[in-house]
Amino acid sequence: MATNDPSTIYGSQEAAEDPEGLGHWKSLAQKYWSKPTKAKKVNPEVIKKEIWDVLQADSFEYRSLLALDNLQLLEKYLWPGFNDESTNYHILLIGLITTVKSRENLPVWSIFVDGSGRFSSFFYRVLALSLDDALTSNIRTQLLSFFISAFQSLDNGLVRKECAPLVSISIWHHLHKESARELKFEQHAQLKKAWRAAIKRYEAADDTTKSKLRFERSWLYSMMLDFLARLYGSGSDNLTYCERFLEFLVDLESQLPTRRYVNTLIQDLNLLALIRNSPLFNDEENGLLRDLFVLLRHFVHFSIDDNTGSQYTQAQSDEQHCGVLSRLQRTALKHFKSQLTILALSNYGAIESREELDTHLQQLTDPELENLCKLLDFRTFYPPAAKIVTTRNLLMEILLSAHERKKTFRELVRSQTILPTEATLYEASLLRNESYNGSRSLAIPKLNLQYLSVGDFLWRSFILYRCESFFEIRKSMEDTIKRLQPRVANQNNDVQFDGFSRMAIPISKPAIVEVAPPKVGYVQPAFVHAEIALDTSRLAESVRREWESLRPEDVVYLLAVQPTDYPQRGMNGDAVPIGMHASGLRLLRTAEIIQLLDENGRMIREQQMVQTNGYVGRPRLRKFLVKLDAAAYKSDNAAKTSGKPDVYESINIIVRRKGRENNFKKVLETMQSLALADVPLPVWLQEVFLGYGDPTGASYTRLESRLKAVDFRDTFLDWEHLVESIPGKIIEPESKMNGTFGPPYVLEASSSPLITTSKNKKRRRDDIEPLQHPVDSFKVSTYRPPINGPYPSDAPKSNSVRFTPAQVEGIMSGTQPGLTVLVGPPGTGKTDVATQIINNIYHDFPTQRTLLIAHSNQALNQLFQKIINLDIDERHLLRLGHGEEDLETSANYGKYGRVESFLDNRARYLVEVDRLAANLGAPGAHGNSCETAGYFNAVYVIPAWSKFWDFANEDESSVSATISSFPYQQYFSNTPQPLFPSSATKEAVLEIAKGCERHISKIFSELDDILPFEILRSSKDKTNYLMIKEARIIAMTSTHAAMRRQEISDLGFHYDNVIMEEAAQITEIENFIPLALQKPKDGVSPLQRVVLCGDHLQNSPIIQNLAFRQFANLEQSLFLRLVRLGVPTINLDRQGRARPSIAELYKWRYSKLDNLPSVLTEPEFLHSNAGFKYDYQFIDVDDYKGRGESQPSPHFFQNLGEAEYAVAIYQYMRLLGYPASKISILTTYAGQRALIRDVLGHRCAKNRLFGLPRIVTTVDKYQGEQNDYVILSLTRTSRVGYLRDIRRLTVALSRARLGLYILGRRAVFESCYELREAFQLLFRREDKLQLVTGEVHPTDRRLEEESEVSGTTEMVGVEHLGQYVFEITQAKVEALKKDGPLGTGGRALALEEPNQEKGWVEYGEEETEPAEEGEDEGADAEIRVEGSVDVDMVADEGPE
């Protein structure tokens, strides 16, 4: 996605180009800290003169700070050398670099964990320096950023220990009067206990500790006074500091543990009134400060009990508000009767608005106003340090702020528009978000570690998702307009478009065809229908079909575009003024598709090709019947009535967006409806979700609903597997069983009784008691599985996976009620665990229904594919949404496919009914319908079985007589073997007969299930019945759930369990929505299980905009937040994907990750990669033609040398016989992806010797997939870039099973501190590609022979490899010509050192530019062959 300025749009990480001009820092690093030494001695003169003074002279420019961070100043010099005697400059530099790391979204606090206690001393020094008036505002603002980062990291015990005293109850020492505290104590008795405990702790301390305690309880108060002094003081540098301090206060107010006592202090100081009355606030140019004030006001007045965390209902909020007004009226009537009689006697609604209150209070003099404030217990005096003068305006503002009615979060959500216009797209706040680079605050809510309430979470998510959606829409519109190249065509100012975009078509004004009157209670029309004519005669066939594929409810955009005199943005990324006029957009309205019509106004139901004399006619005209934005239409119509131009006359463009990117409307509607409703979470999950109380509280071990005995069916393969899967526990056979026995196993836990603990939200996680009832032993019993019939198809499918102990722990937890968080590193089989959990739930709880959620269609299909292979009746499976067609099965598991399957089964089963009727000699058309079959079953089949069992159960009936009396001999005559073996005992005969009865009963059971589909007539009714009644396992993507939530809920859909795959890749709101797809029962959610499977150490959800990704933390998943909160996780610890040597590259990211036996014993893992000396290797790629990385447009990074190298390696592998489908080429940037595709198209696409690899894509897109061989291009040569995010590196290194070849610049990556563990392993081997001549794929060479390989050839560069490949290709072609397809037996020729002077044709130097949104090739296309599956992503990989 194109942007204006890479350093401001997507973030500072890409802004600081390395290097040149930063040589001072490199030489300093080499001199003082780059070389490894045992002890770091810090020279204060170096700190002051060579670092601090240089930074200060440069105004602490961010690129310099970032360069110092890249050079590991903190890790190797500042922190190792810190002690109590360290200078203030030393302390400040640590704080500055820590802030840089936080801004870059890098690990911060782990550096300080050394067990020495030095961090406490350092933190105290920073607190003191933050109050030092001698420091500049710039430095103090940076220190504020440090504290913001600290208070956002309260999950870290080291940080929490230092932050907690700063916001404890002791800060109430600074309330303006004792009665203010006593009032709080009266409301909550436990507060008085906490206050007394704090007093006792202070009195028992020594003098040094008392001094520290006094400082801690005064720090925040002192910071607030300093903030007020800046608000009311002079100085141009105060604004940024005040903005950052407001952000800090918002963070404190938005989490209950920090809000509990701080909110009282803020209200006691009348902080909101003081801010609103300040000169800085009333300066119209300070829009950000004003927006931050609005955000702070929202949280200060959020309707929640600050002590208990209980959210007030609307009635409770109204009652509190009325109580405040009542007190004002009583005070007015008692003390100011003559002036305020009208106020005292008015109803509440008449005095709750700011304007009305102001009118009434103007009757009072200044002394009377001050007296009224004192009578109402408002503070009217401030310490001199605050520089506050108590004026009439301030007193009025204090009273107005306290008594005016505040909007609730629901009212705020209801007031927000969902459909954009040009005004909302170009709001100042949105544009400010786009220009975010970390240097200023933003007035948007953050997704924190904890939330005030479920409603608070939904409000924040709605605001952020709306901003993100509008940002993407605006960038898409600007890009489309730029491609259209509008210009003035003539003197009449008509607009002509010289360019082209497949996403837009010029149109004339839309014709309004119907305006419906407003519904009751609304002012805008119920709907506004319009017709839009599209000239499609000049469109290419593929583009026309894309337009005709738009479906009802798809959103399109109607634009009024005019040329602009502003210079257009060039491909070099130069910025242009941001705004509508800069882009040429003058107006934007949205519309929803209702119908697609042909030129005659008839609805187009399907693609029709009309042929005349063999010629396929090209449709010249298409019409869209659309529904306009009714609210915008009402506003436009009102403007037109007042004499302004008709905006619809100026519309000249219709624009569409790709479906996956254009689902914002339905998702926002879902979020809005959830925020407006009172959506309950399960009682057992509520507190854990909000982040309070006991993190283990939702685990099955802590729930009263825990199952005592569980049938694990085929989870365990044998007794030995059972014992080894539950280490440390006693496995006891049931008393009636002798010795060991085989599965299935029913496990009954023996443990101490459950001891519940009181739920106190104030308790810190450090104080949580351990689990109260550890299981010591299991009693194991078994049973004989019933025979389901005499046919092979009746035999149940059984699990064949020998689960590891960790996997078994996950299965046991997931089968029990409660929350299960399953961490699955690459290749550890978390999908197998999820499917076994589903299998157990399906069989153990026949009345329960399970909802399966995944982020992508690919992951959902992988999970569903394994479920199909389980012993689960396919009639109970349902796959919703697109992507079902990619399932590798002949059956259709979509809604309509399932209905068709039911009807197909109906015909098959009715044939069986006719056979049964013939067997029993029953006349009539019993197999005519499901209904007649039911009568037949009741009249003939069931009585026949009853007669047989009456005879068979008699003691005197013999085996032969029992067989003779069996009534279905003829029906079962087609069994593969005799129904009753000649040597069968009577017991065996009866068991076989029971199996036959089950087989026949299933026929009629299925026909009973099919009967409703026989009765229902419309397809919609059939599919809805299927979903809400028949299906027991329903799968959909998180996006589908978000889009269809209201529709699904309104159908009465219910479910008991939710299992989420890829949970760490799903945004938190998309994690939440699947929990709320059903209506509560009696006000309570019926959910019993939530299983989250994922890996938070791999990529997070993809968010395009840096402001929302890093500042607002919109990329946070529920999975990651629960891990941070300390919720118990089950960590899978054995991988079976990659060679052990390749797994070593990323296993350091996990506390314990071993290998499954398969990767140690199977031949493919034991043999080397043919033609390569190593199974993995980092290849240092030098500049190619004098160039390394390039950037033809912002964030579109390319590296032609690496692209050529990657393609050359691929060609080499193909020549040696590697299958193309086993090779994937990955890169870290979309620009490099596009360039590699171009090189492949130039060199390989049309050559049968090579063809195309399975996929060429980015690392982000490839998460969740794997291949045998991966070629990875790191692209960057100036700095590490986005790969510095360790999660992305983990994904990149874990995609290959057998071979991984990494192309990059060694000098860049070997100095990166965060990535050192992996690259130290890579750099143990040569960094020039080592090839082995004379081998073909597959080879017999063993992996352990790598160090003694003969025939090794080193490639000195890309030209060398290219020439080598060229000569092999020539030899291969000649051999094929001479000997036919087999050539020289398929063996590559062992060549001497190739001649580098001739033969290899170099690829052109043209750089690939970003393809247009929606084009078949370029940034959004993917190359796949041999059945690969596209990944269904909600968003692209963002900055890549």
Side-chain angles (χ1 to χ4, degrees):
M1 184 176 293
T3 56
N4 287 327
D5 180 1
S7 69
T8 59
I9 303 301
Y10 285 108
S12 52
Q13 200 174 42
E14 296 295 345
E17 289 301 332
D18 194 29
E20 293 141 27
L22 300 179
H24 168 73
W25 304 123
K26 284 189 172 181
S27 60
L28 206 63
Q30 292 171 357
K31 183 176 181 181
Y32 292 110
W33 67 80
S34 289
K35 298 176 182 178
T37 57
K38 292 184 178 179
K40 297 290 183 183
K41 294 183 179 180
V42 173
N43 186 341
E45 292 296 315
V46 174
I47 293 286
K48 175 64 171 64
K49 295 182 178 179
E50 299 196 51
I51 301 180
W52 181 266
D53 289 348
V54 177
L55 288 171
Q56 191 172 42
D58 204 18
S59 300
F60 297 93
E61 186 178 355
Y62 187 74
R63 69 193 299 263
S64 296
L65 292 171
L66 185 59
L68 288 171
D69 177 45
N70 289 334
L71 293 169
Q72 304 172 38
L73 173 66
L74 176 62
E75 296 87 351
K76 292 189 174 181
Y77 192 64
L78 293 178
W79 184 244
F82 168 76
N83 54 49
D84 291 340
E85 284 75 38
S86 295
T87 64
N88 286 343
Y89 298 111
H90 192 156
I91 303 299
L92 291 172
L93 280 174
I94 294 177
L96 290 176
I97 301 300
T98 301
T99 303
V100 169
K101 286 188 174 293
S102 177
R103 185 164 155 182
E104 294 296 309
N105 206 24
L106 297 170
V108 178
W109 308 110
S110 58
I111 298 167
F112 301 107
V113 180
D114 55 14
S116 64
R118 292 187 301 153
F119 182 76
S120 182
S121 173
F122 159 72
F123 198 88
Y124 187 84
R125 294 276 300 272
V126 178
L127 289 173
L129 286 171
S130 66
L131 297 173
D132 188 349
D133 291 332
L135 296 179
T136 64
S137 293
N138 183 14
I139 296 302
R140 294 185 69 180
T141 303
Q142 296 279 7
L143 293 182
L144 265 180
S145 298
F146 173 86
F147 295 126
I148 288 172
S149 176
F151 275 93
Q152 286 183 331
S153 305
L154 296 180
D155 55 309
N156 185 293
L158 190 71
V159 178
R160 185 170 61 251
K161 178 183 176 182
E162 306 304 324
C163 291
L166 306 177
V167 291
S168 69
I169 198 171
S170 296
I171 65 175
W172 282 5
H173 278 282
H174 299 286
L175 299 184
H176 75 287
K177 56 196 305 187
E178 185 74 23
S179 60
R181 278 197 303 270
E182 293 300 326
L183 180 62
K184 292 293 180 182
F185 295 158
E186 290 174 7
Q187 294 172 351
H188 297 287
Q190 63 267 35
L191 291 177
K192 193 166 189 177
K193 295 180 181 178
W195 177 258
R196 289 173 176 171
I199 296 296
K200 288 181 179 179
R201 187 164 54 250
Y202 176 79
E203 292 174 348
D206 56 32
D207 290 342
T208 303
T209 305
K210 283 183 178 180
S211 175
K212 183 180 180 182
L213 292 174
R214 285 194 301 271
F215 175 79
E216 289 174 340
R217 74 191 188 195
S218 301
W219 178 80
L220 183 59
Y221 179 70
S222 301
M223 292 286 285
M224 288 182 179
L225 295 182
D226 178 71
F227 164 69
L228 292 174
R230 290 172 181 270
L231 275 176
Y232 284 83
S234 59
S236 58
D237 54 353
N238 284 336
L239 177 60
T240 303
Y241 179 89
C242 290
E243 291 169 348
R244 191 67 77 180
F245 191 81
L246 282 178
E247 178 195 343
F248 177 55
L249 291 181
V250 168
D251 284 355
L252 294 181
E253 286 286 288
S254 60
Q255 297 191 92
L256 188 61
T258 53
R259 169 195 180 90
R260 180 170 286 117
Y261 306 117
V262 172
N263 196 40
T264 300
L265 181 60
I266 287 177
Q267 294 185 4
D268 181 80
L269 280 169
N270 304 314
L271 197 63
L272 293 177
L274 291 170
I275 296 171
R276 188 161 187 162
N277 197 56
S278 67
L280 275 182
F281 178 88
N282 289 287
D283 187 340
E284 293 293 335
E285 294 184 359
N286 298 336
L288 175 57
L289 183 77
R290 298 161 73 92
D291 289 346
L292 283 164
F293 164 80
V294 171
L295 189 60
L296 176 62
R297 182 179 61 187
H298 166 80
F299 281 112
V300 168
H301 296 303
F302 194 85
S303 55
I304 191 174
D305 187 306
D306 292 338
N307 186 58
T308 64
S310 302
Q311 182 174 324
Y312 296 132
T313 64
Q314 185 64 52
Q316 289 173 322
S317 298
D318 291 341
E319 183 181 353
Q320 285 188 343
H321 174 61
C322 292
V324 173
L325 292 177
S326 175
R327 186 184 182 203
L328 173 64
Q329 288 182 318
R330 291 195 304 269
T331 305
L333 190 62
K334 181 177 181 180
H335 298 280
F336 307 96
K337 185 174 182 179
S338 60
Q339 302 97 321
L340 300 178
T341 300
I342 297 177
L343 182 148
L345 299 179
S346 299
N347 61 61
Y348 295 145
I351 61 172
E352 66 180 6
S353 71
R354 173 174 283 264
E355 294 75 17
E356 290 289 338
L357 274 171
D358 184 74
T359 301
H360 290 297
L361 295 176
Q362 288 296 341
Q363 307 299 319
L364 300 178
T365 63
D366 291 0
E368 288 173 334
L369 270 178
E370 184 171 359
N371 188 31
L372 177 60
C373 288
K374 290 179 179 178
L375 290 170
L376 293 172
D377 289 330
F378 290 116
R379 181 195 289 260
T380 57
F381 61 90
Y382 293 89
K387 300 180 182 178
I388 300 296
V389 178
T390 305
T391 63
R392 178 181 180 86
N393 287 341
L394 177 57
L395 294 173
M396 285 289 291
E397 185 57 46
I398 290 172
L399 291 169
L400 294 177
S401 297
H403 295 93
E404 67 177 334
R405 187 179 185 278
K406 290 86 179 176
K407 287 187 176 181
T408 65
F409 73 89
R410 289 190 176 92
E411 292 172 313
L412 293 173
V413 169
R414 188 182 289 111
S415 66
Q416 295 289 328
T417 60
I418 286 178
L419 295 174
T421 64
E422 75 284 354
T424 53
L425 288 185
Y426 286 91
E427 286 178 354
S429 58
L430 283 181
L431 299 181
R432 196 185 300 127
N433 295 339
E434 181 177 343
S435 60
Y436 173 76
N437 66 357
S439 62
R440 299 279 294 272
S441 297
L442 291 176
I444 54 177
K446 300 177 183 178
L447 299 185
N448 291 338
L449 191 64
Q450 300 163 319
Y451 300 109
L452 300 179
S453 68
V454 174
D456 172 43
F457 161 72
L458 291 169
W459 173 79
R460 298 191 209 189
S461 300
F462 175 79
I463 297 297
L464 292 175
Y465 191 90
R466 179 178 179 270
C467 291
E468 169 75 0
S469 299
F470 284 10
F471 162 79
E472 292 178 353
I473 291 170
R474 185 167 68 81
K475 300 310 293 182
S476 178
M477 297 303 108
E478 290 177 351
D479 181 67
T480 300
I481 294 171
K482 176 186 171 184
R483 294 177 185 277
L484 289 172
Q485 301 174 22
R487 68 176 178 86
V488 177
N490 49 44
Q491 294 181 349
N492 296 327
N493 292 327
D494 293 332
V495 180
Q496 180 173 321
F497 299 97
D498 294 337
F500 170 76
S501 169
R502 68 193 300 139
M503 311 304 287
I505 298 178
I507 59 171
S508 57
K509 67 174 185 178
I512 308 298
V513 295
E514 185 179 5
V515 180
K519 296 180 179 179
V520 177
Y522 291 85
V523 293
Q524 72 266 23
F527 60 80
V528 180
H529 289 175
E531 191 174 85
I532 303 172
L534 281 69
D535 181 4
T536 60
S537 59
R538 301 178 61 185
L539 295 180
E541 180 67 18
S542 60
V543 178
R544 181 182 64 80
R545 287 182 176 274
E546 289 174 5
W547 281 94
E548 292 182 351
S549 66
L550 289 174
R551 295 170 296 178
E553 298 185 342
D554 282 350
V555 176
V556 294
Y557 306 87
L558 308 178
L559 277 57
V561 176
Q562 297 176 5
T564 174
D565 294 329
Y566 286 109
Q568 294 295 309
R569 180 170 62 239
M571 293 306 292
N572 59 1
D574 292 338
V576 297
I578 299 178
M580 292 186 293
H581 297 286
S583 65
L585 176 65
R586 295 296 180 270
L587 180 135
L588 180 142
R589 295 292 179 267
T590 55
E592 286 186 67
I593 300 292
I594 299 176
Q595 284 182 348
L596 174 61
L597 309 173
D598 63 15
E599 57 269 21
N600 298 315
R602 295 174 301 192
M603 186 170 65
I604 299 177
R605 296 184 180 275
E606 58 185 28
Q607 302 286 348
Q608 297 177 350
M609 305 297 291
V610 180
Q611 295 190 8
T612 304
N613 296 327
Y615 173 74
V616 179
R618 180 190 294 269
R620 300 186 60 84
L621 185 67
R622 288 288 184 258
K623 295 180 180 180
F624 283 153
L625 182 62
V626 300
K627 181 169 67 174
L628 298 178
D629 180 358
Y633 179 83
K634 179 183 180 300
S635 176
D636 296 335
N637 207 35
K640 179 182 176 182
T641 305
S642 65
K644 295 182 179 179
D646 184 359
V647 298
Y648 296 96
E649 295 280 348
S650 61
I651 289 176
N652 53 4
I653 289 290
I654 182 172
V655 179
R656 63 184 174 88
R657 298 173 70 211
K658 291 191 295 184
R660 289 183 300 177
E661 301 171 355
N662 203 36
N663 51 33
F664 76 97
K665 179 177 180 292
K666 287 186 175 296
V667 176
L668 281 175
E669 286 176 341
T670 292
M671 296 168 66
Q672 189 178 52
S673 66
L674 287 172
L676 295 176
D678 188 11
V679 181
L681 283 171
V683 176
W684 52 268
L685 185 60
Q686 176 99 7
E687 286 197 355
V688 172
F689 177 84
L690 294 177
Y692 307 123
D694 184 356
T696 69
S699 302
Y700 80 94
T701 54
R702 302 298 292 259
L703 297 181
E704 295 180 356
S705 58
R706 172 184 176 181
L707 302 172
K708 188 174 182 181
V710 178
D711 181 1
F712 286 98
R713 299 178 56 81
D714 57 355
T715 302
F716 306 102
L717 303 185
D718 50 49
W719 184 267
E720 181 183 0
H721 183 209
L722 170 64
V723 173
E724 68 186 23
S725 297
I726 314 178
K729 307 296 180 184
I730 301 172
I731 308 299
E732 300 176 333
E734 196 177 29
S735 57
K736 65 180 180 180
M737 304 298 295
N738 294 321
T740 62
F741 45 90
Y745 298 119
V746 178
L747 271 61
E748 181 179 348
S750 301
S751 62
S752 57
L754 176 65
I755 303 175
T756 58
T757 57
S758 61
K759 297 180 179 179
N760 182 359
K761 292 186 181 183
K762 294 174 61 178
R763 186 180 61 212
R764 291 171 50 172
R765 288 195 306 276
D766 293 345
D767 303 328
I768 300 297
E769 299 90 342
L771 299 185
Q772 299 298 308
H773 57 299
V775 175
D776 299 319
S777 63
F778 288 97
K779 288 186 178 180
V780 184
S781 60
T782 190
Y783 58 92
R784 185 173 181 179
I787 297 175
N788 294 321
Y791 299 100
S793 59
D794 292 323
K797 302 174 184 176
S798 297
N799 163 59
S800 60
V801 178
R802 196 173 187 86
F803 293 111
T804 67
Q807 289 175 321
V808 168
E809 184 183 359
I811 293 168
M812 295 176 72
S813 176
T815 307
Q816 290 274 3
L819 173 66
T820 298
V821 180
L822 189 70
V823 179
T828 52
K830 59 180 179 293
T831 304
D832 290 327
V833 174
T835 55
Q836 190 61 32
I837 291 172
I838 294 165
N839 189 39
N840 289 348
I841 293 173
Y842 175 84
H843 290 284
D844 291 352
F845 310 98
T847 61
Q848 293 188 10
R849 312 177 79 204
T850 301
L851 182 65
L852 306 184
I853 299 293
H855 175 52
S856 67
N857 278 310
Q858 175 219 351
L860 194 62
N861 286 342
Q862 287 178 352
L863 180 60
F864 208 75
Q865 193 74 48
K866 292 192 175 186
I867 293 172
I868 293 170
N869 297 325
L870 297 176
D871 185 28
I872 293 177
D873 196 327
E874 68 174 26
R875 62 183 166 143
H876 294 142
L877 298 174
L878 178 62
R879 169 75 162 83
L880 298 180
H882 298 286
E884 183 272 336
E885 60 274 6
D886 294 325
L887 280 171
E888 297 177 3
T889 175
S890 57
N892 187 338
Y893 290 91
K895 284 194 297 185
Y896 296 100
R898 284 291 82 207
V899 171
E900 292 173 3
S901 176
F902 269 90
L903 297 178
D904 290 343
N905 290 341
R906 171 182 177 273
R908 180 163 57 88
Y909 287 129
L910 289 178
V911 170
E912 295 300 304
V913 171
D914 285 335
R915 288 185 59 226
L916 284 168
N919 176 92
L920 295 175
H926 301 293
N928 190 47
S929 67
C930 297
E931 188 175 10
T932 58
Y935 292 139
F936 170 71
N937 183 42
V939 174
Y940 290 95
V941 176
I942 294 177
W945 279 117
S946 298
K947 182 179 179 181
F948 167 74
W949 289 117
D950 287 343
F951 176 79
N953 289 329
E954 293 178 358
D955 294 337
E956 59 272 13
S957 59
S958 64
V959 173
S960 58
T962 301
I963 294 175
S964 299
S965 66
F966 184 71
Y968 299 100
Q969 298 271 7
Q970 178 184 343
Y971 177 79
F972 288 107
S973 61
N974 59 351
T975 56
Q977 61 276 335
L979 183 61
F980 299 106
S982 57
S983 58
T985 63
K986 183 177 179 180
E987 182 181 0
V989 168
L990 295 181
E991 191 66 30
I992 293 171
K994 288 178 182 177
C996 293
E997 184 179 21
R998 293 188 187 97
H999 177 89
I1000 293 175
S1001 296
K1002 182 180 178 183
I1003 294 173
F1004 292 102
S1005 172
E1006 297 237 8
L1007 287 172
D1008 285 342
D1009 289 339
I1010 297 170
L1011 179 59
F1013 299 97
E1014 191 175 75
I1015 298 172
L1016 297 171
R1017 292 305 174 194
S1018 75
S1019 297
K1020 184 176 181 180
D1021 289 341
K1022 291 177 181 179
T1023 56
N1024 288 342
Y1025 179 86
L1026 171 71
M1027 184 170 69
I1028 64 177
K1029 292 293 185 181
E1030 190 63 35
R1032 287 180 52 199
I1033 297 175
I1034 304 97
M1036 65 184 79
T1037 63
S1038 56
T1039 304
H1040 185 85
M1043 292 174 61
R1044 301 294 179 184
R1045 184 259 167 192
Q1046 193 64 47
E1047 175 186 334
I1048 293 172
S1049 177
D1050 289 344
L1051 287 173
F1053 177 69
H1054 73 276
Y1055 52 96
D1056 306 275
N1057 316 294
V1058 174
I1059 297 177
M1060 293 190 197
E1061 179 69 290
E1062 291 183 327
Q1065 282 187 273
I1066 304 176
T1067 60
E1068 194 157 11
I1069 184 62
E1070 290 181 310
N1071 284 131
F1072 177 85
I1073 289 174
L1075 307 181
L1077 288 182
Q1078 60 186 331
K1079 295 180 179 179
K1081 296 180 180 179
D1082 300 324
V1084 178
S1085 171
L1087 268 183
Q1088 297 190 33
R1089 294 173 185 81
V1090 175
V1091 180
L1092 304 179
C1093 305
D1095 183 5
H1096 59 291
L1097 299 181
Q1098 297 188 58
N1099 281 345
S1100 60
I1102 297 169
I1103 304 299
Q1104 298 280 7
N1105 186 286
L1106 180 73
F1108 307 125
R1109 185 173 69 250
Q1110 288 191 4
F1111 181 87
N1113 205 20
L1114 188 55
E1115 69 171 0
Q1116 174 174 273
S1117 66
L1118 175 62
F1119 188 96
L1120 173 60
R1121 189 166 68 87
L1122 293 177
V1123 172
R1124 290 181 61 198
L1125 285 168
V1127 171
T1129 60
I1130 297 169
N1131 303 292
L1132 305 186
D1133 54 7
R1134 295 186 189 177
Q1135 71 88 24
R1137 170 185 295 175
R1139 297 184 193 271
S1141 55
I1142 294 177
E1144 287 290 334
L1145 297 174
Y1146 56 84
K1147 67 185 299 183
W1148 57 275
R1149 288 281 285 145
Y1150 303 92
S1151 59
K1152 181 182 179 183
L1153 183 60
D1154 290 327
N1155 302 300
L1156 288 171
S1158 58
V1159 298
L1160 302 174
T1161 58
E1162 292 185 5
E1164 64 175 345
F1165 295 104
L1166 299 178
H1167 290 92
S1168 299
N1169 298 333
F1172 294 92
K1173 181 179 179 181
Y1174 299 114
D1175 53 349
Y1176 71 83
Q1177 190 179 3
F1178 180 93
I1179 302 153
D1180 189 20
V1181 181
D1182 296 325
D1183 285 354
Y1184 178 60
K1185 297 183 179 180
R1187 296 185 67 182
E1189 70 179 49
S1190 60
Q1191 190 179 180
S1193 65
H1195 292 273
F1196 202 72
F1197 287 99
Q1198 297 181 332
N1199 186 320
L1200 184 57
E1202 289 187 19
E1204 289 281 13
Y1205 215 129
V1207 173
I1209 292 176
Y1210 168 71
Q1211 290 177 300
Y1212 173 72
M1213 296 177 72
R1214 292 289 291 127
L1215 290 169
L1216 268 59
Y1218 288 87
S1221 62
K1222 298 296 185 182
I1223 305 171
S1224 296
I1225 301 180
L1226 306 182
T1227 179
T1228 49
Y1229 287 88
Q1232 184 72 350
R1233 173 183 61 185
L1235 182 59
I1236 291 174
R1237 288 175 178 158
D1238 281 357
V1239 177
L1240 281 167
H1242 178 75
R1243 296 195 182 281
C1244 304
K1246 298 180 181 180
N1247 190 325
R1248 287 184 298 172
L1249 280 177
F1250 305 121
L1252 295 175
R1254 172 178 177 140
I1255 187 172
V1256 180
T1257 188
T1258 60
V1259 170
D1260 288 352
K1261 285 274 192 178
Y1262 208 57
Q1263 180 164 342
E1265 296 194 54
Q1266 64 184 34
N1267 210 347
D1268 287 357
Y1269 307 97
V1270 169
I1271 303 167
L1272 173 63
S1273 171
L1274 302 182
T1275 309
R1276 301 302 301 275
T1277 59
S1278 65
R1279 57 191 307 273
V1280 174
Y1282 289 97
L1283 201 65
R1284 196 176 180 190
D1285 185 339
I1286 311 176
R1287 297 172 299 181
R1288 181 172 277 120
L1289 178 72
T1290 304
V1291 177
L1293 297 179
S1294 60
R1295 300 306 96 196
R1297 297 181 65 248
L1298 304 176
L1300 175 64
Y1301 301 96
I1302 304 171
L1303 307 172
R1305 184 65 57 88
R1306 176 169 183 162
V1308 171
F1309 291 95
E1310 69 179 345
S1311 61
C1312 181
Y1313 177 79
E1314 289 77 17
L1315 312 182
R1316 66 191 186 282
E1317 295 285 348
F1319 281 95
Q1320 283 174 359
L1321 289 173
L1322 288 168
F1323 294 145
R1324 290 176 184 175
R1325 298 177 174 179
E1326 300 96 317
D1327 58 12
K1328 296 299 179 184
L1329 181 60
Q1330 305 293 311
L1331 302 183
V1332 178
T1333 59
E1335 288 187 340
V1336 294
H1337 175 80
T1339 180
D1340 294 330
R1341 176 164 53 92
R1342 304 279 290 185
L1343 198 61
E1344 60 267 18
E1345 300 171 3
E1346 281 182 349
S1347 58
E1348 302 175 358
V1349 180
S1350 59
T1352 300
T1353 299
E1354 180 176 281
M1355 298 291 107
V1356 296
V1358 61
E1359 296 90 347
H1360 187 182
L1361 178 61
Q1363 180 65 28
Y1364 189 50
V1365 169
F1366 172 77
E1367 293 186 8
I1368 298 179
T1369 305
Q1370 293 297 98
K1372 187 88 169 180
V1373 170
E1374 291 300 321
L1376 289 173
K1377 288 179 180 179
K1378 180 178 180 181
D1379 300 327
L1382 293 180
T1384 57
R1387 299 192 62 83
L1389 303 179
L1391 301 177
E1392 299 298 327
E1393 191 75 12
N1395 183 352
Q1396 300 180 49
E1397 301 297 325
K1398 61 180 181 178
W1400 185 55
V1401 182
E1402 295 179 343
Y1403 181 67
E1405 294 188 36
E1406 296 83 1
E1407 293 166 318
T1408 305
E1409 296 183 0
E1412 180 182 357
E1413 183 179 18
E1415 289 186 3
D1416 292 332
E1417 294 181 1
D1420 292 306
E1422 292 195 358
I1423 300 175
R1424 290 176 178 263
V1425 295
E1426 300 192 28
S1428 355
V1429 182
D1430 285 335
V1431 182
D1432 178 21
M1433 304 287 283
V1434 175
D1436 203 351
E1437 64 272 14
E1440 291 196 349

